[in-house]
Amino acid sequence: MKPRYESLELKIMRSLNVRMNLAAKEENYYLNLEKGYKGEEKFDEWIKPLSNDRIVLNDLLLEYNNTLFQIDSLIISSNTIYIFEVKNYESDFFIEGDRWYSISRTEIKNPLLQLQRNESLFRRLLQDLGFNISIESYLIFVNPEFHLYQSPLNLPIIFPTQLNRFMDKMKKRPSNIKDTHSKLAKQLLSLHLKETPFNRLPEYHYDQLKKGMTCPVCQTFYNHLKKTTLICSSCGGREEYESAVLRNVEEFKLLFPKSKITISDIYEWCNTIKDKKTIRNVLTNNFILIRRGKSSHYVNND
């Protein structure tokens, strides 16, 4: 009922990573966002066999008692709600007491504490909504290059080598979705907060960003236009100039939501296309022109 989409934060950070020099900490944060999303996509593929007779809700941002919490994936079945915290960690880690460390002894956040917090808040929210249903929470590791040493046997962790067996176990549990379950799912969707306050975007300004159109495959800036086709010198990818301009208009709107879409701004932003008339034609064919003299600009058709 709620598919997963790339977050606004990830889209902006991906663009900034190409168009400016991020500080090491910011670049690492961006790479972790990318890695996390890819792990969630891998989880979504893995969980597909269960979606026919269960309700799947992804990326729920909820609030209980003035406290925000985010659930990577929530599955509603007949008798149980499953909460999944998905991690795409790779390399070796180990546990000492309640603390988690990388193999180089760098301490990381204990993901189990986050899972326990989410379950506790969700349980109380569920009670307030008038539902009494069993909850099971799991920490899922999807990267086959991940290993955790000294892990107690009783932790609610599913390791990459256990995914297939866990799936078989889930399939054997019958599920018959009724109106009550659909009602709960709709209530949770109505409570989902679309604007997340968790964004940690670096400060950026138009003048400091590199202008031009990037290849959607490898993120290299285009530098060759042959008739109506842009050709990537890095991966050989090809793209019609109109789709490339429209994609870059969307990127411009993403980065500067308060700015108006004008021919001059998009011409400068796209950079690779040297003819303003080409930019004007693309905008005129795909947007509505608001005529206001020097303040004329384009808006979406909808």
Side-chain angles (χ1 to χ4, degrees):
M1 287 183 67
K2 185 180 182 299
R4 193 186 310 278
Y5 298 104
E6 293 175 333
S7 67
L8 184 67
E9 182 182 27
L10 173 56
K11 289 179 180 178
I12 292 176
M13 288 298 294
R14 184 183 291 149
S15 179
L16 294 180
N17 182 59
V18 173
R19 295 185 180 273
M20 65 183 283
N21 293 321
L22 295 175
K25 188 176 181 180
E26 295 164 347
E27 184 179 14
N28 187 58
Y29 179 60
Y30 157 66
L31 293 175
N32 284 334
L33 285 176
E34 285 280 18
K35 193 172 182 180
Y37 183 72
K38 287 177 181 176
E40 289 168 350
E41 283 188 311
K42 190 180 294 186
F43 172 86
D44 293 342
E45 280 298 313
W46 172 77
I47 209 71
K48 269 185 180 179
L50 300 178
S51 59
N52 291 330
D53 51 4
R54 296 165 179 82
I55 298 174
V56 181
L57 303 174
N58 292 317
D59 283 337
L60 279 177
L61 180 61
L62 302 169
E63 181 178 1
Y64 181 78
N65 199 23
N66 297 319
T67 303
L68 292 171
F69 63 104
Q70 191 159 9
I71 296 176
D72 289 340
S73 281
L74 183 142
I75 297 180
I76 302 174
S77 65
S78 292
N79 303 310
T80 307
I81 293 179
Y82 299 91
I83 294 176
F84 294 104
E85 179 72 24
V86 182
K87 296 299 181 187
N88 193 20
Y89 294 173
E90 61 181 317
S91 191
D92 296 333
F93 295 80
F94 66 94
I95 296 177
E96 284 186 355
D98 289 331
R99 299 190 175 188
W100 289 49
Y101 300 89
S102 68
I103 205 66
S104 61
R105 293 203 68 86
T106 300
E107 186 172 358
I108 65 169
K109 287 184 179 179
N110 182 343
L112 283 174
L113 296 180
Q114 182 179 357
L115 181 67
Q116 292 163 4
R117 173 181 176 273
N118 287 350
E119 179 182 335
S120 175
L121 290 167
F122 182 76
R123 189 182 303 280
R124 285 182 277 169
L125 174 63
L126 208 59
Q127 290 170 351
D128 283 2
L129 293 176
F131 291 91
N132 183 21
I133 185 169
S134 173
I135 299 174
E136 291 184 21
S137 299
Y138 295 95
L139 179 60
I140 302 277
F141 291 99
V142 296
N143 196 319
E145 298 299 318
F146 169 80
H147 186 76
L148 182 64
Y149 293 96
Q150 300 171 196
S151 172
L153 292 175
N154 61 342
L155 296 182
I157 296 177
I158 307 299
F159 294 105
T161 53
Q162 298 174 311
L163 286 172
N164 290 338
R165 278 171 285 159
F166 185 75
M167 173 61 71
D168 291 339
K169 179 182 175 182
M170 292 277 287
K171 285 179 179 177
K172 290 175 182 177
R173 296 181 178 181
S175 180
N176 181 24
I177 294 299
K178 299 180 180 178
D179 289 343
T180 306
H181 301 100
S182 298
K183 179 183 176 183
L184 170 59
K186 289 176 182 177
Q187 281 190 268
L188 292 174
L189 284 177
S190 71
L191 294 173
H192 168 68
L193 304 173
K194 294 180 181 178
E195 295 295 328
T196 173
F198 299 145
N199 291 347
R200 291 193 289 170
L201 296 173
E203 186 176 332
Y204 62 92
H205 304 281
Y206 179 83
D207 291 341
Q208 75 185 103
L209 300 186
K210 185 176 180 180
K211 311 303 186 291
M213 297 190 288
T214 58
C215 169
V217 177
C218 68
Q219 305 302 311
T220 301
F221 280 94
Y222 285 124
N223 55 23
H224 184 51
L225 174 63
K226 186 176 182 181
K227 293 184 178 179
T228 63
T229 305
L230 289 154
I231 303 171
C232 179
S233 58
S234 180
C235 72
R238 291 169 173 262
E239 184 179 15
E240 290 301 304
Y241 76 83
E242 182 167 357
S243 67
V245 170
L246 291 175
R247 188 167 49 79
N248 278 265
V249 170
E250 291 305 310
E251 184 183 11
F252 180 84
K253 288 163 58 181
L254 179 75
L255 293 171
F256 307 102
K258 295 182 180 179
S259 296
K260 292 180 179 178
I261 305 301
T262 67
I263 294 171
S264 294
D265 283 346
I266 299 305
Y267 173 73
E268 183 179 22
W269 181 252
C270 290
N271 189 40
T272 312
I273 295 176
K274 303 303 180 183
D275 183 6
K276 269 192 178 183
K277 184 179 178 181
T278 300
I279 300 296
R280 179 186 293 109
N281 290 339
V282 173
L283 294 179
T284 301
N285 291 336
N286 294 277
F287 298 89
I288 296 173
L289 174 61
I290 306 298
R291 297 183 181 276
R292 290 180 182 168
K294 292 183 179 181
S295 298
S296 295
H297 59 279
Y298 291 84
V299 296
N300 288 344
N301 286 314
D302 46 8

